[in-house]
Amino acid sequence: MAGIGFRLKKALEADTYTGVLKGYLFGSVISSGPWIFTIVCLAVIQLFASRFLTIEEADIFTTIITYTFAFSLLFFGCMDMVITRYLADKLFLKESRVIFTSFLSIWGVVLFFQTAVGVILYSFCDFPLSFRFASLILYIAMSSIWLVMIFLSATKNYVFIAQAFLVGAIISSLCAIEFSRNYGISGAMAGMALGQFTILALLIWRIYKEFGFYPFFSNEIFSYYQKFSSLMWIGFLYNGALWGDKILFWFLGPSLRLSGIFYNDELYGAALYLSYLTMIPALTIFLVKIETSFYIAFRAYYQAVQNKKGFQELLAIKEELVGSLRKSAQPLIVFQSGLSFCCIVFAPHILNFFKLRQELLAIFQLGILGVFLQVMVVMMGIIILYFNGIKKAIILNFVFFSTNVVLTLITLKLGFPFYGYGFLISSLISFCLAYILLNKQIEDFDYETFMYQPIVSPNIYKIQALEPLERAQLRENS
Amino acid sequence: MNDVCLILEGTYPYVAGGVSVCVYDLIRNLPHLNFSIIHLAASGDSVKELKYPIPNNIKEFHEIFLFDFNFSDEMTSQKIDPHLWDRVIEFHRCARRGDVSLFSEMYETFFNPRTKKVEIGDLLYRKEVWNILIQLYQEGGLKTDFSDFFWNFRFIYFPIFKILSSPIPKARLYHSMCTGYAGLYAVAAKLLYQKPYLLTEHGIYTEERKIDISEAQWIPTLISESDVKAQKNPGFFKQWWISTFQFLGSLSYAHADHISTIYDGNRIKQIQGGADPEKISIISNGIEVERFSHVTEDQCPKKKNPQCFRIGFIGRVVPIKDVKTFLRSIKIVQEHVSNIEVLIMGPTEEDEEYYEECVLLTELLGLDTVIEFLGRVSSENYYSTLDVLVLTSISEGQPLVVLEAGACGVPVVATEVGANRELLYGRSHEDQVLGRSGILTSLASPHETAEAIIKILKDTELKKYLGEVAKKRVSRFYQQEDILDQYHLMYRKYL
C-alpha cells in the first residue's frame, strides 16, 4: 500500500530562530546621541547669539527648534522600529544591496510628507518669510536625519555618527552666530539649518558607502508597515508619551503665544528639557552594556536552541541572561539615582547656571525624578522588545502615553503648584508596569520563543526559510 | 446523508495500487449505494492527477491535507478549567502504556464541535499546552535536543489536530481502508455521530509506518550510527513516531465495529496491535478471472525460441522485491537448464540506483543475453507464455501477481512471506485439499529458488499439475465478485 508518503526533510534543520533575533537597537537609544549634540548646540547658540538677537528673537529661535524636535520625532516614532525591523531582515538575509534604494524611496515619502507638514505648520504664523523658510529647511533636515539614523544604526558605526554630529554642531553654532550678526534671527536659523544639512549629507554619504547604490525599485519596505503595524504604534506611542505633556503645556498651559500655533513655554517646558539632560549618562551606559554582556548572553540563548541543547540548559542560559541583566543594571541604577539625587539637591545652582528662573525649581526637581523613572521605563521597554514582547511593549507605551496625557490635563486644571506631578506620576505608573511586564516577559520567554514560532507546514516551512536567500542568489548572479 | 463514507489515505483516486483498485471496484460494483470520500494526503501539492475515474455514486469528495497547517487562530474567551489540562497529561501517560480509553474524553473536551471546551487556537498557543510539552519532554527523559523535541511535537500532533478539527460529513457508515490518520478520522466520526465504523486493512499500516520511520533521514536518532544500523534502538524521536502510529492503530482497532484483512498473517499482527480477534474476518484480494482467459494468442509477445523456457518476474525493481536473489538463482538455473529466457516486468524508475546495481549484476553473472528488463508492461498478456513465475520478495501482503498467474495456470515459485503460503498451499482445509499450486522457498536463498525453478521446468507433469491446481484455487476462492460480495454483505450488516 502506498500510504501517505510525508517527508519532513529539512524541517528540523532550518533556521528560524536567528530570524527572530533582530538587533533591537532602537532609535530611542540611538537618537539620544544627536539629541544631546543638538541641545548643546542650542545652548551655545543661545549663549553667543544673544549678543545679536533680542530676547524675543532668542525665544522664537528656541521655540522653533523645540517644535522641530517634537514634530519630527513624533513622525520618526512611526518609522523607527518598522524600518529597524526591515533592515534587520535584509541584513540577516544578506540583501544589503536593496538598502540604499529602499532608503531613497522612503526618504522620498518623508520629504514629501514632512514638507507638507512643515508648510502647514509655518503658514499659521507671521514670522518673516525668510525665517519661516529657514525653519522649514531645518525641519526637513532634522526629519531626514532621524530617518538616516535608523539606517546607520544598523551598521553600528557609532564613531562616525558621533563625528558627523560633532562637525554638524560646530558648523551650526558657528554659522548661526556668524549669520545672526548680519541677518538676525533668519540668519541664525539658516546657520542652524546649514549645520544640520551638513550632518545629513555626511550620513547619507555614509549609507551610500556602506551599502552601495543598485538601481532597482523595491517597495518592500512599505509592506513592512502592514506586517509590523504594531511596531509603528509602539514607536508612535513612545514619542507621544515623551512629548505629550510638553505639547499640552504649549497650548493649555501658561505659555506665551508667539505667533500662530507657536507658544513659548518658559516654565514647564524649559524645566523639563533641562531635566532630560540627566538621562544622558544612563542611556550611554545602557547602550554600551547592551552591546556587550546582555546582547552576547541573549545570542547565546538562541545559539543554544539551534545547537539542540536540552531544556534545562536553555533555562540555565536564561537565568544567566537575567543575571547578567541584573548585574549590569545594578551599578547603572545606583549611579543614576546618585546623579539624580545630586541634581535635585543642587537644582537651584543648576537653574542659576542655565540662567533660568528659580520659580522653576519644583518642576525641575520633579522632572529629574520623573526622568530617572522614565529612563528605567525606556530601558525596560527595550529589553521587553529584545525578548520579543511586542504586545507588552504596546501596552506599556500606551499606558505611558495615556497616563501622561490624562494626568497632565489634570495638573493643568489644578494649577501651578501641581505642575510636574502629572509627568512624575505617569512615569511612576509606567515604571511599575514596565517592571511587572518585564518580569512576566522573561518568565514567558521560552514559551513565546517556541510557541509563537510561525505555524507552517514542513514543506512550506522550508520554502519560507530559503526563498529570500534564493532570490538574493539570483540577484548576485544577474 | 450518504450511505458510506470511505476514508482513504494516499490511495484512490490519485495513487495506483492494490488498495486503489479494490476501492474503485468496490464503489463501481455497488451502484445502489451512495459514497462520500475523504481523501487524506500529506499536502496540497502532493496531489496530482486522477489515476482512476470517479463513478457517479460518489456524491461527495473532500480532501484533507495533513501537513498544511491552515488552522484558525481562534481562542476561546471562556475560562478553561485547569483540570482539563491535567487530563491531557493523564491521557498521554495512558497512551504510553498503550491504553487508548481516554481518547474519547479528549475528543469530547477538545474537538467534538458539540461538546468542546476550547478552540483550536488554544491548543496551538496556550501556555498550558507549553507546560504539557515541557512535562512530556521531562517524562521522556531527554537531556538534549529540546528544539527537535519541539518540532517533532508539532509535526506529530498538528496533523492529528488537523484531522480531529476537520468537518465530518454525515453518513450511515464509516469505512477506512487503514488505521493511522484515516482510522483516526473514522473514530472521530463514530464518536461524533454514533455510527458504525468498518476497518478493512490490506497491509498493516502500523508496520508499514514503522519501516518508513526507521529508514527516515529527517528524524534525528540521537544515538550512534552503528546502533541504528543494527536496528537495536530507533532512538527517542523515531520511537515517538512509531508509538504514535501504534497508538492510532490500537485506537482504530478498539473503536472499529468490524475489522478485516487479506490473509491470516495480517490477522495475527492486528491481534498483536490490540484488535479483538472476535471482530476480525479475512477478505482476500480478488481478481477478474475472465479477463485473463480473454487474452488472445497474437496479443502475447512471442518467445525468441519456441523451444526455450520462459521465466517471469513481475514487480517493481526495488530492494524489497530482492531482485538480486532472483538474478543469482537464474545463474544457477542456467547451469542446469540451457534454453531459458527471463523477463523482468515492472517499473525500474522507483529506485534507479538499485536498478543500476541489478543491471550490473546481470552483466557480472554473464546473464545479459538471457535476462531482459522490460520495465512497465501490461503483464496480463505475458502470463500465458510463462513457464514459471518467480517471487523473491522479502515482504509481501497478498501479491496480486500470484493470483493472476494462478488464473492463467502458471506455476509459481515464491518466498514464504505474506500470504504466499495460503496462496500456494491453501488456507482452509477445503482449500488445502485442492493441492499445491507452486513451491515456497526461504528468503534470500538463490539456491532454493533455483532448485524449485529447475524442478518445475524439468518435470512437465508437475508443471501441468501445479498450473491446474492454481486455476482451480483462484476460481474457487479469489474471484473478484465473491470478494466484493463479502464487502457488500459486511455493509449490509451495518447499514
Side-chain angles (χ1 to χ4, degrees):
Chain A
M1 190 182 118
I4 159 172
F6 57 82
R7 271 161 212 206
L8 313 181
K9 262 186 209 161
K10 287 245 175 192
L12 301 162
E13 297 156 26
D15 170 8
T16 54
Y17 301 103
T18 35
V20 176
L21 179 61
K22 310 295 176 192
Y24 273 122
L25 264 180
F26 292 109
S28 43
V29 172
I30 295 299
S31 63
S32 76
W35 187 79
I36 294 158
F37 281 111
T38 321
I39 293 220
V40 171
C41 165
L42 193 63
V44 173
I45 295 167
Q46 277 210 311
L47 220 59
F48 292 92
S50 56
R51 275 185 249 162
F52 314 104
L53 299 176
T54 62
I55 293 175
E56 288 77 33
E57 282 178 329
D59 282 348
I60 292 172
F61 187 75
T62 28
T63 303
I64 294 294
I65 304 267
T66 314
Y67 270 65
T68 305
F69 263 101
F71 283 93
S72 61
L73 278 176
L74 274 181
F75 291 111
F76 161 76
C78 303
M79 304 186 293
D80 181 9
M81 281 191 266
V82 181
I83 296 174
T84 305
R85 176 70 195 233
Y86 170 80
L87 291 173
D89 281 354
K90 293 291 120 177
L91 292 175
F92 174 69
L93 296 170
K94 304 205 176 0
E95 286 183 20
S96 62
R97 283 172 167 220
V98 299
I99 289 179
F100 193 72
T101 325
S102 300
F103 162 70
L104 289 180
S105 52
I106 197 138
W107 191 33
V109 175
V110 168
L111 282 180
F112 176 79
F113 186 74
Q114 291 292 46
T115 308
V117 172
V119 166
I120 293 167
L121 222 56
Y122 291 112
S123 55
F124 288 107
C125 61
D126 50 11
F127 300 131
L129 197 64
S130 55
F131 176 72
R132 283 196 269 169
F133 184 70
S135 304
L136 180 65
I137 299 293
L138 178 73
Y139 181 67
I140 293 165
M142 219 170 246
S143 302
S144 308
I145 287 174
W146 301 138
L147 177 71
V148 175
M149 284 300 296
I150 308 170
F151 281 84
L152 272 185
S153 63
T155 70
K156 313 243 156 99
N157 202 336
Y158 303 125
V159 178
F160 178 83
I161 295 172
Q163 285 168 344
F165 273 92
L166 186 64
V167 171
I170 292 170
I171 292 177
S172 271
S173 313
L174 290 179
C175 291
I177 295 162
E178 189 55 33
F179 294 171
S180 66
R181 199 193 297 267
N182 296 324
Y183 304 102
I185 188 171
S186 304
M189 191 52 82
M192 184 79 190
L194 186 65
Q196 299 304 308
F197 250 106
T198 313
I199 299 173
L200 181 61
L202 283 170
L203 296 183
I204 291 177
W205 175 76
R206 188 73 218 178
I207 300 182
Y208 169 74
K209 285 287 279 184
E210 202 75 52
F211 301 110
F213 175 67
Y214 298 90
F216 43 77
F217 179 73
S218 157
N219 59 356
E220 205 188 345
I221 193 165
F222 300 108
S223 71
Y224 269 66
Y225 271 90
Q226 284 172 325
K227 269 197 273 181
F228 299 103
S229 54
S230 49
L231 289 177
M232 183 184 89
W233 283 109
I234 293 172
F236 177 75
L237 287 170
Y238 168 70
N239 281 288
L242 283 188
W243 286 97
D245 56 326
K246 286 115 207 148
I247 292 173
L248 286 173
F249 262 91
W250 295 343
F251 297 114
L252 303 172
S255 309
L256 179 71
R257 183 174 174 179
L258 298 172
S259 172
I261 56 161
F262 292 94
Y263 292 84
N264 182 23
D265 177 11
E266 283 194 301
L267 197 69
Y268 183 81
L272 276 196
Y273 301 140
L274 194 58
S275 56
Y276 269 103
L277 289 178
T278 60
M279 224 183 188
I280 296 167
L283 281 182
T284 316
I285 296 169
F286 182 68
L287 188 65
V288 173
K289 281 285 169 195
I290 219 167
E291 276 295 77
T292 52
S293 60
F294 177 67
Y295 185 76
I296 288 165
F298 191 73
R299 219 173 42 189
Y301 181 87
Y302 284 102
Q303 273 164 356
V305 171
Q306 274 187 305
N307 294 338
K308 309 196 170 177
K309 298 286 188 227
F311 187 64
Q312 290 308 322
E313 272 173 90
L314 294 184
L315 281 186
I317 293 172
K318 193 177 89 170
E319 285 307 310
E320 224 170 274
L321 180 65
V322 175
S324 101
L325 195 61
R326 267 205 199 102
K327 227 166 82 189
S328 52
Q330 252 163 14
L332 192 153
I333 294 169
V334 169
F335 173 77
Q336 187 66 20
S337 49
L339 180 85
S340 300
F341 180 74
C342 291
C343 288
I344 290 171
V345 171
F346 294 106
H349 305 284
I350 298 171
L351 287 177
N352 251 340
F353 179 80
F354 285 96
K355 296 180 178 159
L356 288 167
R357 288 175 283 160
Q358 285 299 324
E359 56 176 315
L360 302 185
L361 185 63
I363 301 177
F364 180 50
Q365 286 171 328
L366 291 174
I368 292 169
L369 206 56
V371 165
F372 171 73
L373 294 171
Q374 244 183 41
V375 169
M376 301 297 153
V377 173
V378 170
M379 292 190 292
M380 287 191 277
I382 291 170
I383 293 167
I384 287 173
L385 278 170
Y386 254 102
F387 282 113
N388 239 353
I390 291 181
K391 252 189 216 158
K392 293 191 179 74
I394 291 186
I395 294 171
L396 176 63
N397 283 297
F398 176 74
V399 169
F400 189 16
F401 172 74
S402 50
T403 53
N404 196 10
V405 168
V406 171
L407 293 170
T408 302
L409 282 172
I410 293 173
T411 54
L412 274 167
K413 267 251 149 54
L414 291 173
F416 182 76
F418 296 92
Y419 288 177
Y421 280 104
F423 172 77
L424 178 64
I425 294 170
S426 156
S427 301
L428 186 65
I429 292 170
S430 310
F431 173 80
C432 297
L433 182 67
Y435 186 77
I436 293 165
L437 289 177
L438 178 59
N439 275 317
K440 181 102 180 76
Q441 187 61 34
I442 289 172
E443 192 199 310
D444 285 352
F445 179 49
D446 324 277
Y447 157 63
E448 289 184 355
T449 300
F450 283 95
M451 293 296 266
Y452 289 2
Q453 284 289 314
I455 291 179
V456 286
S457 320
N459 47 346
I460 297 171
Y461 182 83
K462 181 182 143 202
I463 292 164
Q464 274 199 343
L466 290 181
E467 199 205 32
L469 277 178
E470 278 160 5
R471 258 191 288 131
Q473 281 156 6
L474 282 179
R475 276 201 198 112
E476 295 292 332
N477 296 336
S478 63
Chain B
M1 193 195 292
N2 290 311
D3 300 310
V4 179
C5 176
L6 253 180
I7 302 119
L8 305 170
E9 192 174 322
T11 63
Y12 176 86
Y14 295 115
V15 182
V19 175
S20 308
V21 172
C22 174
V23 172
Y24 179 53
D25 289 337
L26 181 66
I27 297 172
R28 210 170 35 144
N29 285 294
L30 297 173
H32 60 286
L33 292 180
N34 286 336
F35 285 84
S36 50
I37 296 225
I38 306 290
H39 184 262
L40 309 180
S43 70
D45 40 81
S46 62
V47 168
K48 285 166 207 128
E49 45 172 330
L50 291 178
K51 294 266 164 61
Y52 300 88
I54 307 279
N56 284 333
N57 54 332
I58 294 182
K59 300 294 179 194
E60 271 184 78
F61 189 90
H62 302 283
E63 285 178 295
I64 300 175
F65 302 117
L66 295 173
F67 288 90
D68 291 350
F69 302 139
N70 47 348
F71 294 112
S72 86
D73 287 348
E74 200 185 328
M75 291 171 97
T76 180
S77 50
Q78 258 124 44
K79 202 161 159 42
I80 301 174
D81 178 7
H83 178 67
L84 295 184
W85 304 111
D86 300 338
R87 296 298 291 164
V88 176
I89 290 284
E90 190 54 36
F91 164 75
H92 279 281
R93 287 192 185 134
C94 286
R96 224 174 289 146
R97 295 195 303 267
D99 176 0
V100 300
S101 58
L102 285 185
F103 176 81
S104 350
E105 182 188 329
M106 291 296 114
Y107 181 70
E108 301 302 322
T109 315
F110 294 102
F111 299 103
N112 184 336
R114 295 169 186 168
T115 57
K116 67 180 176 182
K117 306 274 194 303
V118 302
E119 296 299 328
I120 190 74
D122 295 300
L123 290 173
L124 307 180
Y125 301 113
R126 279 222 175 244
K127 182 118 189 237
E128 288 89 339
V129 176
W130 165 254
N131 291 336
I132 289 169
L133 188 152
I134 299 293
Q135 196 160 346
L136 293 179
Y137 173 80
Q138 280 158 352
E139 284 176 9
L142 277 182
K143 291 275 177 291
T144 57
D145 282 64
F146 183 71
S147 85
D148 279 344
F149 181 87
F150 175 80
W151 287 109
N152 274 293
F153 180 90
R154 276 197 170 180
F155 294 146
I156 284 175
Y157 290 110
F158 282 14
I160 292 176
F161 294 172
K162 174 96 185 206
I163 291 280
L164 294 177
S165 58
S166 294
I168 302 174
K170 282 193 178 172
R172 293 162 65 199
L173 171 70
Y174 294 86
H175 177 190
S176 80
M177 305 289 283
C178 63
T179 62
Y181 298 113
L184 179 70
Y185 187 91
V187 169
K190 181 177 176 174
L191 291 173
L192 184 61
Y193 298 124
Q194 270 86 45
K195 294 290 180 194
Y197 163 32
L198 307 183
L199 167 64
T200 59
E201 257 192 314
H202 278 215
I204 301 301
Y205 185 91
T206 314
E207 294 283 314
E208 288 168 7
R209 280 288 92 98
K210 200 167 165 177
I211 296 167
D212 279 0
I213 286 164
S214 313
E215 286 167 0
Q217 298 289 315
W218 50 268
I219 307 176
T221 49
L222 283 186
I223 40 173
S224 69
E225 272 308 299
S226 58
D227 261 18
V228 179
K229 288 224 174 84
Q231 305 254 314
K232 276 184 214 148
N233 180 352
F236 178 87
F237 294 111
K238 290 194 171 184
Q239 189 52 51
W240 192 7
W241 280 93
I242 290 169
S243 45
T244 302
F245 286 119
Q246 280 167 345
F247 174 85
L248 292 178
S250 316
L251 187 71
S252 280
Y253 293 144
H255 285 86
D257 293 278
H258 187 88
I259 303 167
S260 83
T261 187
I262 46 172
Y263 72 100
D264 200 56
N266 279 357
R267 189 180 70 93
I268 292 161
K269 285 180 188 160
Q270 287 179 328
I271 295 168
Q272 284 163 354
D276 175 4
E278 297 286 306
K279 287 200 263 185
I280 309 176
S281 70
I282 290 179
I283 305 180
S284 326
N285 280 321
I287 59 162
E288 289 176 88
V289 177
E290 297 75 41
R291 217 173 86 214
F292 295 91
S293 48
H294 287 317
V295 178
T296 52
E297 275 289 306
D298 51 305
Q299 280 173 308
C300 304
K302 294 277 174 303
K303 291 179 188 177
K304 280 183 222 149
N305 170 0
Q307 252 67 58
C308 79
F309 293 111
R310 186 180 256 185
I311 302 168
F313 180 100
I314 304 177
R316 294 165 297 142
V317 183
V318 291
I320 202 167
K321 301 287 179 192
D322 199 4
V323 184
K324 287 178 186 173
T325 292
F326 175 66
L327 297 175
R328 291 196 184 94
S329 72
I330 292 302
K331 178 72 190 165
I332 302 167
V333 173
Q334 199 199 24
E335 285 160 11
H336 296 85
V337 187
S338 52
N339 49 340
I340 56 166
E341 173 189 330
V342 180
L343 302 180
I344 297 180
M345 294 162 265
T348 57
E349 67 275 0
E350 196 169 305
D351 188 339
E352 304 256 2
E353 201 181 316
Y354 186 75
Y355 170 61
E356 297 297 330
E357 284 169 23
C358 287
V359 173
L360 193 69
L361 183 64
T362 311
E363 284 164 15
L364 283 174
L365 294 172
L367 295 171
D368 30 346
T369 52
V370 180
I371 294 176
E372 211 180 330
F373 287 89
L374 296 179
R376 193 191 295 269
V377 292
S378 46
S379 48
E380 63 249 41
N381 296 343
Y382 284 84
Y383 284 114
S384 55
T385 72
L386 296 181
D387 292 287
V388 60
L389 177 80
V390 184
L391 259 81
T392 47
S393 310
I394 302 167
S395 168
E396 276 294 351
Q398 188 185 40
L400 278 174
V401 285
V402 176
L403 293 178
E404 289 171 353
C408 303
V410 179
V412 174
V413 170
T415 42
E416 191 174 352
V417 290
N420 284 351
R421 171 169 283 273
E422 291 178 10
L423 292 176
L424 299 186
Y425 295 175
R427 184 194 324 157
S428 59
H429 176 71
E430 195 194 356
D431 190 357
Q432 279 166 5
V433 294
L434 288 177
R436 297 185 168 189
S437 54
I439 300 173
L440 287 176
T441 61
S442 308
L443 283 185
S445 169
H447 282 278
E448 269 189 51
T449 304
E451 219 173 283
I453 297 171
I454 293 162
K455 201 169 162 191
I456 292 171
L457 295 185
K458 285 203 165 163
D459 187 343
T460 326
E461 278 305 305
L462 176 70
K463 195 181 118 189
K464 203 173 152 204
Y465 165 76
L466 293 174
E468 271 163 16
V469 173
K471 260 190 174 161
K472 266 189 237 159
R473 172 163 290 131
V474 170
S475 54
R476 272 282 279 287
F477 297 103
Y478 298 98
Q479 286 270 20
Q480 193 188 41
E481 336 164 18
D482 299 342
I483 303 296
L484 288 171
D485 276 349
Q486 291 184 47
Y487 276 104
H488 195 184
L489 274 175
M490 188 176 65
Y491 277 173
R492 270 234 296 268
K493 188 175 160 198
Y494 289 97
L495 277 172

